[in-house]
Every structure is written in C-alpha cells, then in structure tokens.
Amino acid sequence: MSTCKACCENNGSEKKRLRIAIQKSGRLTDETLKLFKDSGIKISSNKDHLLAHAENLPIDILRVRDDDIPGLVMDHVVDWGIVGQNVLEETTMQRELDGMYTGFNEVLKLNFGDCRLSIAVPTEDEWHGLADLEGKKIATTYPHLLRRVMKEAGVNFRSVLLTGSVEVAPRAGLADAICDLVCTGATLQSNGLKEVETIYTSKAVLIGRDQPLFPEKQAIANTIIERFKGVMSAVESRYIMMNAPKAKLEQIRAILPGAENPSIIELEGSTDRVALHAVSREKVFWETLEQLKALGATSILVVPIEKMLG
Ligand code: PRT
Ligand code: ZN
C-alpha cells in the first residue's frame, strides 16, 4: 500500500481516525449533520470549532467552506468530504487548469442537496436557444461548467464571475443573463428572471481520497458507508401491515411498491384471512392504499422505518 509522508505518517491518529470535511454553515450543513446523527455519529455541537471529534467513534469532522472540500480530499488532507457535485466538478476543472492533482473516489451519492445549474434571462426576453447568448455577458459562480456547455454549443460569450447575488446581475446592468443554481425557482422569479436551459443537475456526494486507507480506518469507513446506506434507504422505505383475504394475496403482493417477500401470519379464529407484513422500498401513495382496500384489505398501517441494515 502506498503512503503519503506529508499527511499519513506524521501522527498515529492519522492511521486510525477517519477525517471527514463537511460544510461549516450552508445549505448542506443541516442534512449532513442529520445523516451523521441518524447514523449514530455523535459530534459536538459547537459550530465554531474547525475540528470536532465524534464522541463515540474514531471520526474527526473538519468544518469548512464547501468550495474547499474537493481540494482537501484531492490533496489528501482529509479522507472523506461531503460536497455538491456542482462544486466538485467546477473545482476539478479549475484544478486541472492550474495543473493540480484532481484524483478522488466517489464513495456514495447522498439523498440531499438536489439542485440544477441553469441559465436564466430576464422574463421579458425572447428565448430560442443558447445561440441567443452569442456575444452576451453571463454572470456566474460556475465559469468552467458554463464554458463547457457553451463550447459544445459553439456559442461565444463573456463570463462575469460573481461569487454571490448572481441573480441581481441583469437588473444591475452587469450581465445579460445568469447561470446559477436553482432549486424551487422562487429566487429567479422574484428577480424578474426565467429559467431557460438546465446545464447541469447536482446532488450532494460523499467523496474519498483516491488512496487505500489504513486497515483500521477502512474498517470504520465500511461501517459508516453501510450506516449511511441504511439511513438513506430507511428514509424512503415503509413497513406495511394489513389483514387481507387469502384469496387476494397474489393481487395484493403485485401492487405493493418495491416490497420484498412479505411475511404472512395466520390470524387466530380466521380461516380465510391472514396478516401480511412487508417492507416497501419505495414511498407508499394513497392510491395504493385505496387499491389494497378495494381488494378487501383491512387495518392497513404504513409506518416509517428508523433504521435498516442488510
Ligand atoms: O459558505 P459556503 O461557501 O460553504 O457556502 P455557499 O454559499 O457557497 O453554498 P450554499 O450553502 O448556498 O450551497 C451549498 C450547496 O448546496 C451548493 O453547492 C449546491 O450543491 C447545494 N444547493 C442545493 C444549493 C441550492 N440547492 C440552492 N438553491 N445551493 C445554492 N442554492 C441557491 C442558489 O444559488 C440561489 O441563490 O439558492 C437560490 C435559489 O434557490 P431557489 O429555491 O429559490 O431556486
Ligand atoms: Zn461555497
């Protein structure tokens, strides 16, 4: 196994404690901390400390700006980082230009931080396609992602780099259009802009350094990955219970969304009805419950699952 003298051999704890960089304060912070909490990682709540130690596991948390997270992983300062794919991709392109190392592994896609990078223009502008932006000024925090798309489309433009308040640029006369992150679209609307092209979709990802971890760290890493997966599948999964007519079991099983083999339990004093318990890996909609009821199911219960393993 190759080792990195600068950051792996200087301290015994580097071999044993998994170091994870997360966003200090921003849109990914609450969900990241919730994922840790739901996975049984207890960290100190003092947000002012750059480095926090998990109370119950050999894990250290480094709280930083999201823009620094890809570099910390690529420079092997931390083992893992949680960051939006948009920031990861933009930073990778910048580092490539700067001749810096860009290796990393995507460990796990996470179920939060969903957004899209879109081009928006003033609501009153006509829109026929990217060619409308020929020679125009576009304000963005993501010049490399934007340039890649515009290059593919063969459109020349001028990029105006802004790290905040991108949405006010057209009104302030700084740019003709913007390329910014969108979630609900409310910010664009309230600034008199309309979304015309999505150029990138993003979610939060867990990334890791592209070097083998020391065995003790790898063991912790494996445990945490399984817990993260368990938490994420529990979020969508539901435990479904009902009493159902034996004669309709096949039809009932067919409409249970993403359910594995259900448990069928005899009901005392009944020969034609049984209890059916199943884990559904997908959300259960009212329409499904109504169909179950129509097939003769009664006492239908759908309950959330807190933890799931295996
Ligand atoms: O201080 P630091 O550098 O750490 O944070 P930041 O201000 O650079 O980033 P932050 O906290 O705003 O976002 C962190 C990450 O969250 C982003 O890189 C995305 O991966 C993800 N994310 C998800 C979003 C959004 N949704 C989002 N809606 N990031 C930003 N926005 C902004 C967008 O820029 C716009 O200003 O929200 C506004 C639009 O929201 P809607 O809902 O009105 O469309
Ligand atoms: Zn940032």
Side-chain angles (χ1 to χ4, degrees):
M1 182 174 79
S2 64
T3 56
C4 159
K5 288 238 181 280
C7 59
C8 302
E9 293 181 342
N10 58 352
N11 179 342
S13 75
E14 290 288 348
K15 296 185 179 177
K16 296 180 183 158
R17 298 186 67 84
L18 190 71
R19 186 171 276 197
I20 313 175
I22 66 167
Q23 190 184 25
K24 183 174 194 279
S25 168
R27 285 173 187 266
L28 301 180
T29 309
D30 288 351
E31 297 268 25
T32 301
L33 293 176
K34 184 171 186 315
L35 176 64
F36 285 174
K37 184 168 177 265
D38 292 347
S39 303
I41 305 170
K42 290 188 190 148
I43 51 174
S44 114
S45 56
N46 190 338
K47 287 188 177 146
D48 294 331
H49 289 176
L50 175 71
L51 191 65
H53 303 291
E55 291 167 17
N56 55 336
L57 285 160
I59 294 175
D60 296 330
I61 308 293
L62 195 66
R63 297 183 172 111
V64 291
R65 288 198 60 186
D66 67 342
D67 314 70
D68 295 335
I69 293 172
L72 288 169
V73 173
M74 292 168 188
D75 291 335
H76 300 164
V77 177
V78 297
D79 302 303
W80 280 357
I82 292 180
V83 68
Q85 287 169 314
N86 51 313
V87 170
L88 178 61
E89 190 114 2
E90 183 71 19
T91 309
T92 301
M93 285 190 268
Q94 180 63 53
R95 285 176 67 103
E96 274 167 3
L97 278 178
D98 295 341
M100 297 171 81
Y101 189 63
T102 55
F104 72 92
N105 289 323
E106 183 179 295
V107 180
L108 204 57
K109 281 196 176 57
L110 302 173
N111 60 349
F112 58 87
D114 294 52
C115 57
R116 53 196 189 274
L117 186 63
S118 291
I119 292 178
V121 296
T123 316
E124 61 278 11
D125 284 10
E126 280 190 25
W127 181 256
H128 311 96
L130 288 176
D132 289 357
L133 295 172
E134 179 70 35
K136 297 278 170 71
K137 280 191 274 184
I138 310 176
T140 189
T141 312
Y142 297 92
H144 298 302
L145 283 167
L146 174 61
R147 194 167 300 122
R148 185 169 70 188
V149 168
M150 297 299 265
K151 200 174 164 195
E152 277 166 18
V155 178
N156 298 302
F157 73 105
R158 282 186 287 160
S159 124
V160 176
L161 184 63
L162 291 179
T163 52
S165 305
V166 177
E167 64 280 356
V168 302
R171 239 184 324 139
L174 299 175
D176 303 294
I178 69 164
C179 172
D180 198 14
L181 296 175
V182 184
C183 182
T184 60
T187 304
L188 292 183
Q189 208 181 357
S190 63
N191 283 281
L193 298 169
K194 63 180 176 193
E195 187 177 1
V196 288
E197 295 269 348
T198 295
I199 67 163
Y200 189 81
T201 53
S202 176
K203 50 171 49 213
V205 277
L206 172 65
I207 55 167
R209 52 200 270 178
D210 63 345
Q211 267 190 329
L213 295 174
F214 286 104
E216 279 172 75
K217 269 198 202 182
Q218 189 59 57
I220 307 159
N222 293 345
T223 304
I224 299 304
I225 291 168
E226 287 310 309
R227 289 191 188 182
F228 282 179
K229 284 183 182 167
V231 169
M232 287 193 291
S233 46
V235 168
E236 290 283 295
S237 299
R238 296 289 179 268
Y239 195 72
I240 308 174
M241 294 174 273
M242 73 194 83
N243 293 343
K246 270 184 185 170
K248 295 286 171 63
L249 277 181
E250 275 310 302
Q251 282 162 276
I252 286 176
R253 286 178 62 168
I255 60 168
L256 283 178
E260 291 178 355
N261 282 345
S263 307
I264 308 291
I265 307 153
E266 291 295 331
L267 282 176
E268 207 176 71
S270 174
T271 51
D272 58 346
R273 293 180 70 78
V274 287
L276 181 152
H277 291 197
V279 172
S280 164
R281 301 263 176 184
E282 297 166 25
K283 279 187 182 147
V284 183
F285 294 100
W286 278 108
E287 288 75 8
T288 307
L289 300 191
E290 286 153 6
Q291 287 169 351
L292 291 170
K293 188 169 175 242
L295 285 167
T298 54
S299 306
I300 309 168
L301 295 180
V302 180
V303 291
I305 296 172
E306 192 183 289
K307 294 187 178 68
M308 213 160 139
L309 201 61

